[in-house]
C-alpha cells in the first residue's frame, strides 16, 4: 500500500513527482500559485494558507493522520509539534545545501557566480534547510541565463531528485 502524504508548497512539478511515489491526502498552498491552479483544475482537495489563517492551518496539520509531510516552496516554517506528527518530514530545496538556504537560493547563487546549480532533498527539522541530506543533483551553469536555470531546476532536476531521493529512503 502506498504511503499517504500532505503536500505543502507552490511547485507543481514537485507535487506531480511526489504523487508518483505516495498517495496525496491534501495540499496546502498559497492563492494563485501553480499548485493552487493545478489543484482547482484537477479537483484535488486543497487549503489556502496566508498570514491570517496560518495558525488554523497549522492546527489542521497537527491533527492530520498521514505518513509523510512534503514541502516544496512552502513559505512558512513548521514547528517541532507539527513535524513530530509525521514519520517522514521531507523538503525539496532548490540549492546544493548547505549553501544558499532560505527563500531565494537560485538568485543568490547566480549573483555569486556559482558554476553549479542544483536541488537537495532533505529531512525537515525546525531549523530551516538544515536537516540531513537525502539526495542532491545539479547542472553546470555553462552559458545558461537565470530564466533557463529556473526552468531546468524546477522541470527536470527537482522531479528527478525527489524520485531518486524517496526511492533511497524507502528501499
Amino acid at each position: 500500500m502506498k504511503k499517504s502524504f500532505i503536500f505543502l508548497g507552490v511547485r507543481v512539478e514537485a507535487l506531480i513527482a511526489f504523487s508518483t511515489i505516495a498517495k496525496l491526502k491534501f495540499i496546502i498552498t498559497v492563492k494563485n500559485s501553480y499548485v493552487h491552479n493545478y489543484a482547482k483544475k484537477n479537483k484535488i482537495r486543497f487549503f489556502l494558507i496566508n498570514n491570517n489563517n496560518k495558525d488554523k492551518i497549522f492546527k489542521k496539520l497537527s491533527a492530520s493522520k498521514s505518513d509523510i509531510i512534503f514541502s516544496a516552496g512552502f513559505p512558512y516554517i513548521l514547528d517541532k509539534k507539527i513535524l513530530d506528527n509525521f514519520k517522514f518530514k521531507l523538503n525539496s530545496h532548490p540549492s546544493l545545501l548547505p549553501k544558499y538556504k532560505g527563500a531565494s537560493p537560485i538568485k543568490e547563487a547566480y549573483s555569486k557566480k556559482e558554476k553549479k546549480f542544483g536541488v537537495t532533498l532533505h529531512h525537515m527539522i525546525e531549523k530551516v534547510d538544515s536537516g540531513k541530506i537525502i539526495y542532491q543533483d545539479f547542472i553546470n551553469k555553462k552559458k545558461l541565463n537565470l530564466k533557463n536555470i529556473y526552468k531546468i531546476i524546477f522541470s527536470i532536476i527537482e522531479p528527478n531528485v525527489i524520485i531518486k531521493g524517496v526511492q533511497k529512503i524507502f528501499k
Side-chain angles (χ1 to χ4, degrees):
M1 183 173 145
K2 267 189 176 181
K3 295 184 182 330
S4 67
F5 79 102
I6 296 169
F7 179 84
L8 310 174
V10 297
R11 296 200 299 270
V12 73
E13 295 91 340
L15 168 63
I16 292 167
F18 210 92
S19 295
T20 67
I21 299 158
K23 183 180 180 210
L24 178 63
K25 190 166 184 179
F26 62 84
I27 293 168
I28 298 176
T29 190
V30 297
K31 189 173 184 173
N32 298 323
S33 67
Y34 290 115
V35 168
H36 178 212
N37 294 330
Y38 179 84
K40 286 191 304 187
K41 180 180 175 187
N42 292 286
K43 297 179 173 56
I44 299 170
R45 186 173 172 218
F46 69 90
F47 301 94
L48 297 177
I49 190 168
N50 58 49
N51 287 332
N52 295 328
N53 72 352
K54 182 177 86 167
D55 292 337
K56 181 180 174 183
I57 297 291
F58 280 8
K59 283 181 185 173
K60 180 179 284 305
L61 278 173
S62 293
S64 68
K65 301 288 181 223
S66 188
D67 303 306
I68 305 164
I69 190 165
F70 174 66
S71 170
F74 191 64
Y76 298 97
I77 298 168
L78 302 176
D79 64 26
K80 186 174 176 5
K81 182 180 175 185
I82 293 170
L83 293 174
D84 285 349
N85 196 43
F86 298 90
K87 184 173 181 180
F88 299 97
K89 303 148 278 254
L90 307 173
N91 182 52
S92 179
H93 184 72
S95 82
L96 294 172
L97 292 174
K99 282 184 152 185
Y100 307 112
K101 298 176 181 184
S104 299
I106 297 172
K107 282 183 188 173
E108 190 177 351
Y110 192 82
S111 71
K112 296 200 175 165
K113 302 189 184 328
E114 290 288 346
K115 302 280 188 239
K116 294 179 181 178
F117 292 79
V119 175
T120 302
L121 182 70
H122 66 95
H123 293 280
M124 252 193 296
I125 60 173
E126 280 184 279
K127 191 173 176 189
V128 174
D129 299 328
S130 297
K132 182 179 175 188
I133 293 171
I134 300 162
Y135 191 80
Q136 292 179 313
D137 200 1
F138 65 90
I139 57 168
N140 288 307
K141 180 185 175 200
K142 297 182 183 172
K143 295 182 180 181
L144 296 172
N145 64 27
L146 188 57
K147 182 180 177 183
N148 287 334
I149 291 169
Y150 273 105
K151 187 175 183 178
I152 293 167
I153 289 291
F154 294 128
S155 65
I156 299 169
I157 304 297
E158 185 173 46
N160 287 330
V161 165
I162 291 165
I163 290 167
K164 288 177 181 176
V166 172
Q167 286 172 343
K168 185 177 172 182
I169 294 170
F170 296 139
K171 273 191 173 180

